[in-house]
mmCIF file of all heavy atoms in Angstrom:
data_model
loop_
_atom_site.group_PDB
_atom_site.id
_atom_site.type_symbol
_atom_site.label_atom_id
_atom_site.label_comp_id
_atom_site.label_asym_id
_atom_site.label_seq_id
_atom_site.Cartn_x
_atom_site.Cartn_y
_atom_site.Cartn_z
ATOM 1 N N LEU H 53 1.849 -3.049 -3.907
ATOM 2 C CA LEU H 53 2.117 -3.789 -2.648
ATOM 3 C C LEU H 53 0.753 -4.053 -1.864
ATOM 4 O O LEU H 53 -0.004 -3.115 -1.777
ATOM 5 C CB LEU H 53 3.131 -3.149 -1.851
ATOM 6 C CG LEU H 53 4.467 -2.912 -2.373
ATOM 7 C CD1 LEU H 53 5.313 -2.002 -1.518
ATOM 8 C CD2 LEU H 53 5.098 -4.158 -2.768
ATOM 9 N N TYR H 66 1.858 4.355 9.813
ATOM 10 C CA TYR H 66 3.202 4.587 10.177
ATOM 11 C C TYR H 66 3.706 5.992 9.842
ATOM 12 O O TYR H 66 3.372 6.398 8.661
ATOM 13 C CB TYR H 66 4.179 3.561 9.626
ATOM 14 C CG TYR H 66 5.705 3.853 9.767
ATOM 15 C CD1 TYR H 66 6.291 3.371 11.016
ATOM 16 C CD2 TYR H 66 6.431 4.593 8.916
ATOM 17 C CE1 TYR H 66 7.623 3.725 11.242
ATOM 18 C CE2 TYR H 66 7.752 4.860 9.126
ATOM 19 C CZ TYR H 66 8.329 4.417 10.303
ATOM 20 O OH TYR H 66 9.709 4.709 10.626
ATOM 21 N N LYS H 67 4.238 6.744 10.778
ATOM 22 C CA LYS H 67 4.715 8.137 10.565
ATOM 23 C C LYS H 67 6.213 8.286 10.791
ATOM 24 O O LYS H 67 6.746 7.770 11.775
ATOM 25 C CB LYS H 67 3.931 9.088 11.440
ATOM 26 C CG LYS H 67 2.412 9.217 11.052
ATOM 27 C CD LYS H 67 1.774 10.144 12.098
ATOM 28 C CE LYS H 67 0.225 10.172 11.797
ATOM 29 N NZ LYS H 67 -0.457 11.023 12.666
ATOM 30 N N HIS H 68 6.844 9.094 9.975
ATOM 31 C CA HIS H 68 8.134 9.463 10.145
ATOM 32 C C HIS H 68 8.307 10.913 9.589
ATOM 33 O O HIS H 68 8.034 11.169 8.350
ATOM 34 C CB HIS H 68 9.199 8.604 9.347
ATOM 35 C CG HIS H 68 10.554 9.024 9.640
ATOM 36 N ND1 HIS H 68 11.253 8.835 10.807
ATOM 37 C CD2 HIS H 68 11.417 9.567 8.821
ATOM 38 C CE1 HIS H 68 12.411 9.349 10.638
ATOM 39 N NE2 HIS H 68 12.624 9.804 9.444
ATOM 40 N N LYS H 69 8.624 11.848 10.414
ATOM 41 C CA LYS H 69 8.654 13.251 10.079
ATOM 42 C C LYS H 69 7.239 13.679 9.474
ATOM 43 O O LYS H 69 6.289 13.408 10.133
ATOM 44 C CB LYS H 69 9.765 13.564 9.073
ATOM 45 C CG LYS H 69 11.138 13.307 9.681
ATOM 46 C CD LYS H 69 12.308 13.678 8.690
ATOM 47 C CE LYS H 69 13.612 13.367 9.341
ATOM 48 N NZ LYS H 69 14.775 13.802 8.522
ATOM 49 N N SER H 70 7.243 14.198 8.298
ATOM 50 C CA SER H 70 5.829 14.604 7.697
ATOM 51 C C SER H 70 5.346 13.594 6.845
ATOM 52 O O SER H 70 4.245 13.846 6.260
ATOM 53 C CB SER H 70 6.023 15.975 7.005
ATOM 54 O OG SER H 70 6.916 15.768 5.843
ATOM 55 N N SER H 71 5.868 12.364 6.771
ATOM 56 C CA SER H 71 5.393 11.321 5.881
ATOM 57 C C SER H 71 4.581 10.265 6.678
ATOM 58 O O SER H 71 4.906 9.966 7.825
ATOM 59 C CB SER H 71 6.458 10.542 5.229
ATOM 60 O OG SER H 71 7.210 11.464 4.302
ATOM 61 N N GLU H 72 3.484 9.920 6.111
ATOM 62 C CA GLU H 72 2.584 8.837 6.730
ATOM 63 C C GLU H 72 2.293 7.723 5.684
ATOM 64 O O GLU H 72 1.895 8.083 4.580
ATOM 65 C CB GLU H 72 1.320 9.459 7.305
ATOM 66 C CG GLU H 72 0.458 8.482 8.041
ATOM 67 C CD GLU H 72 -0.726 9.148 8.692
ATOM 68 O OE1 GLU H 72 -0.937 10.330 8.403
ATOM 69 O OE2 GLU H 72 -1.436 8.484 9.403
ATOM 70 N N LEU H 73 2.443 6.441 6.134
ATOM 71 C CA LEU H 73 2.161 5.399 5.292
ATOM 72 C C LEU H 73 0.648 4.990 5.470
ATOM 73 O O LEU H 73 0.264 4.650 6.470
ATOM 74 C CB LEU H 73 2.994 4.120 5.532
ATOM 75 C CG LEU H 73 2.684 2.931 4.748
ATOM 76 C CD1 LEU H 73 3.208 3.193 3.360
ATOM 77 C CD2 LEU H 73 3.300 1.631 5.206
ATOM 78 N N LEU H 74 -0.196 5.104 4.377
ATOM 79 C CA LEU H 74 -1.619 4.735 4.360
ATOM 80 C C LEU H 74 -1.914 3.967 3.348
ATOM 81 O O LEU H 74 -1.644 4.281 2.094
ATOM 82 C CB LEU H 74 -2.517 6.101 4.497
ATOM 83 C CG LEU H 74 -2.337 7.002 5.550
ATOM 84 C CD1 LEU H 74 -3.132 8.260 5.331
ATOM 85 C CD2 LEU H 74 -2.899 6.369 6.784
ATOM 86 N N VAL H 85 -0.617 -0.256 -1.579
ATOM 87 C CA VAL H 85 0.278 1.014 -1.557
ATOM 88 C C VAL H 85 1.247 0.886 -2.662
ATOM 89 O O VAL H 85 1.582 -0.267 -3.212
ATOM 90 C CB VAL H 85 1.037 1.117 -0.120
ATOM 91 C CG1 VAL H 85 2.061 0.053 -0.036
ATOM 92 C CG2 VAL H 85 1.517 2.453 -0.021
ATOM 93 N N GLY H 86 1.673 1.928 -3.285
ATOM 94 C CA GLY H 86 2.570 1.928 -4.526
ATOM 95 C C GLY H 86 3.985 1.501 -4.184
ATOM 96 O O GLY H 86 4.449 1.695 -3.028
ATOM 97 N N LEU H 87 4.571 1.031 -5.112
ATOM 98 C CA LEU H 87 6.029 0.631 -5.051
ATOM 99 C C LEU H 87 6.960 1.690 -4.616
ATOM 100 O O LEU H 87 8.022 1.398 -4.005
ATOM 101 C CB LEU H 87 6.426 -0.067 -6.254
ATOM 102 C CG LEU H 87 5.852 -1.336 -6.774
ATOM 103 C CD1 LEU H 87 6.345 -1.694 -8.114
ATOM 104 C CD2 LEU H 87 6.030 -2.438 -5.715
ATOM 105 N N GLN H 88 6.554 2.896 -4.825
ATOM 106 C CA GLN H 88 7.458 4.063 -4.465
ATOM 107 C C GLN H 88 7.872 4.092 -2.994
ATOM 108 O O GLN H 88 8.962 4.633 -2.721
ATOM 109 C CB GLN H 88 6.736 5.460 -4.804
ATOM 110 C CG GLN H 88 6.239 5.600 -6.238
ATOM 111 C CD GLN H 88 4.876 5.034 -6.439
ATOM 112 O OE1 GLN H 88 4.443 4.102 -5.762
ATOM 113 N NE2 GLN H 88 4.125 5.481 -7.441
ATOM 114 N N VAL H 89 7.088 3.494 -2.139
ATOM 115 C CA VAL H 89 7.424 3.558 -0.705
ATOM 116 C C VAL H 89 8.776 2.710 -0.434
ATOM 117 O O VAL H 89 9.397 3.055 0.548
ATOM 118 C CB VAL H 89 6.246 2.933 0.210
ATOM 119 C CG1 VAL H 89 5.016 3.847 0.068
ATOM 120 C CG2 VAL H 89 6.046 1.434 -0.111
ATOM 121 N N LEU H 90 9.059 1.900 -1.342
ATOM 122 C CA LEU H 90 10.270 1.056 -1.127
ATOM 123 C C LEU H 90 11.580 1.944 -1.285
ATOM 124 O O LEU H 90 12.546 1.670 -0.803
ATOM 125 C CB LEU H 90 10.332 -0.031 -2.130
ATOM 126 C CG LEU H 90 9.286 -1.030 -2.030
ATOM 127 C CD1 LEU H 90 9.372 -2.167 -3.168
ATOM 128 C CD2 LEU H 90 9.358 -1.813 -0.674
ATOM 129 N N ASN H 91 11.424 3.019 -1.967
ATOM 130 C CA ASN H 91 12.468 4.027 -2.378
ATOM 131 C C ASN H 91 12.412 5.262 -1.450
ATOM 132 O O ASN H 91 13.298 6.153 -1.587
ATOM 133 C CB ASN H 91 12.552 4.371 -3.777
ATOM 134 C CG ASN H 91 12.899 3.043 -4.613
ATOM 135 O OD1 ASN H 91 13.646 2.263 -4.286
ATOM 136 N ND2 ASN H 91 12.094 3.046 -5.748
ATOM 137 N N ASP H 92 11.450 5.386 -0.606
ATOM 138 C CA ASP H 92 11.291 6.616 0.133
ATOM 139 C C ASP H 92 12.091 6.526 1.421
ATOM 140 O O ASP H 92 11.835 5.690 2.295
ATOM 141 C CB ASP H 92 9.838 6.785 0.496
ATOM 142 C CG ASP H 92 9.443 8.121 1.175
ATOM 143 O OD1 ASP H 92 10.270 8.690 1.948
ATOM 144 O OD2 ASP H 92 8.353 8.558 0.907
ATOM 145 N N VAL H 93 12.986 7.488 1.662
ATOM 146 C CA VAL H 93 13.883 7.403 2.774
ATOM 147 C C VAL H 93 13.098 7.548 4.076
ATOM 148 O O VAL H 93 13.640 7.174 5.158
ATOM 149 C CB VAL H 93 15.040 8.443 2.723
ATOM 150 C CG1 VAL H 93 15.914 8.247 1.497
ATOM 151 C CG2 VAL H 93 14.418 9.820 2.695
ATOM 152 N N ASN H 94 11.916 8.191 4.028
ATOM 153 C CA ASN H 94 11.073 8.377 5.373
ATOM 154 C C ASN H 94 10.575 7.074 5.803
ATOM 155 O O ASN H 94 10.084 6.846 6.962
ATOM 156 C CB ASN H 94 9.966 9.359 5.007
ATOM 157 C CG ASN H 94 10.577 10.772 4.875
ATOM 158 O OD1 ASN H 94 11.318 11.246 5.716
ATOM 159 N ND2 ASN H 94 10.119 11.395 3.915
ATOM 160 N N PHE H 95 10.620 5.968 4.894
ATOM 161 C CA PHE H 95 10.159 4.694 5.274
ATOM 162 C C PHE H 95 11.211 3.588 5.398
ATOM 163 O O PHE H 95 11.088 2.438 5.428
ATOM 164 C CB PHE H 95 9.062 4.157 4.344
ATOM 165 C CG PHE H 95 7.853 5.048 4.361
ATOM 166 C CD1 PHE H 95 7.412 5.623 3.119
ATOM 167 C CD2 PHE H 95 7.132 5.487 5.502
ATOM 168 C CE1 PHE H 95 6.287 6.424 3.011
ATOM 169 C CE2 PHE H 95 6.126 6.282 5.346
ATOM 170 C CZ PHE H 95 5.719 6.761 4.139
ATOM 171 N N SER H 96 12.501 4.110 5.552
ATOM 172 C CA SER H 96 13.616 3.154 5.474
ATOM 173 C C SER H 96 13.682 2.369 6.775
ATOM 174 O O SER H 96 14.159 1.165 6.776
ATOM 175 C CB SER H 96 14.981 4.026 5.282
ATOM 176 O OG SER H 96 15.081 4.936 6.473
ATOM 177 N N ALA H 97 13.103 2.855 7.948
ATOM 178 C CA ALA H 97 13.058 2.002 9.092
ATOM 179 C C ALA H 97 12.178 0.762 8.973
ATOM 180 O O ALA H 97 12.372 -0.136 9.721
ATOM 181 C CB ALA H 97 12.565 2.859 10.256
ATOM 182 N N ILE H 98 11.095 0.864 8.079
ATOM 183 C CA ILE H 98 10.193 -0.283 7.883
ATOM 184 C C ILE H 98 10.419 -0.920 6.472
ATOM 185 O O ILE H 98 9.554 -1.710 5.984
ATOM 186 C CB ILE H 98 8.719 0.136 8.108
ATOM 187 C CG1 ILE H 98 8.344 1.290 7.109
ATOM 188 C CG2 ILE H 98 8.625 0.477 9.495
ATOM 189 C CD1 ILE H 98 6.903 1.566 7.065
ATOM 190 N N HIS H 99 11.559 -0.649 5.904
ATOM 191 C CA HIS H 99 11.762 -1.148 4.517
ATOM 192 C C HIS H 99 11.767 -2.553 4.405
ATOM 193 O O HIS H 99 11.180 -3.186 3.425
ATOM 194 C CB HIS H 99 13.186 -0.691 3.939
ATOM 195 C CG HIS H 99 13.469 -1.106 2.653
ATOM 196 N ND1 HIS H 99 14.143 -2.229 2.242
ATOM 197 C CD2 HIS H 99 13.125 -0.554 1.337
ATOM 198 C CE1 HIS H 99 14.218 -2.344 0.979
ATOM 199 N NE2 HIS H 99 13.549 -1.339 0.425
ATOM 200 N N ASP H 100 12.377 -3.312 5.410
ATOM 201 C CA ASP H 100 12.333 -4.779 5.398
ATOM 202 C C ASP H 100 10.945 -5.383 5.362
ATOM 203 O O ASP H 100 10.533 -6.376 4.646
ATOM 204 C CB ASP H 100 13.136 -5.408 6.523
ATOM 205 C CG ASP H 100 14.642 -5.157 6.195
ATOM 206 O OD1 ASP H 100 14.976 -4.875 5.103
ATOM 207 O OD2 ASP H 100 15.384 -5.379 7.194
ATOM 208 N N LEU H 102 8.187 -3.682 4.519
ATOM 209 C CA LEU H 102 7.523 -3.336 3.175
ATOM 210 C C LEU H 102 7.864 -4.291 2.017
ATOM 211 O O LEU H 102 7.075 -4.719 1.136
ATOM 212 C CB LEU H 102 7.907 -1.848 2.724
ATOM 213 C CG LEU H 102 7.283 -0.808 3.641
ATOM 214 C CD1 LEU H 102 7.918 0.520 3.267
ATOM 215 C CD2 LEU H 102 5.801 -0.737 3.604
ATOM 216 N N GLU H 103 9.180 -4.832 2.150
ATOM 217 C CA GLU H 103 9.654 -5.779 1.096
ATOM 218 C C GLU H 103 8.881 -7.067 1.263
ATOM 219 O O GLU H 103 8.782 -7.885 0.301
ATOM 220 C CB GLU H 103 11.116 -6.045 1.221
ATOM 221 C CG GLU H 103 11.986 -4.978 0.614
ATOM 222 C CD GLU H 103 11.952 -4.990 -0.881
ATOM 223 O OE1 GLU H 103 11.508 -6.018 -1.502
ATOM 224 O OE2 GLU H 103 12.551 -4.099 -1.511
#
Side-chain angles (χ1 to χ4, degrees):
L53 300 172
Y66 173 84
K67 293 181 184 178
H68 180 74
K69 298 184 180 181
S70 64
S71 295
E72 183 174 10
L73 180 73
L74 295 173
V85 69
L87 293 173
Q88 302 89 333
V89 299
L90 297 174
N91 298 319
D92 190 325
V93 296
N94 290 310
F95 301 126
S96 61
I98 59 169
H99 183 266
D100 290 346
L102 293 170
E103 281 285 352

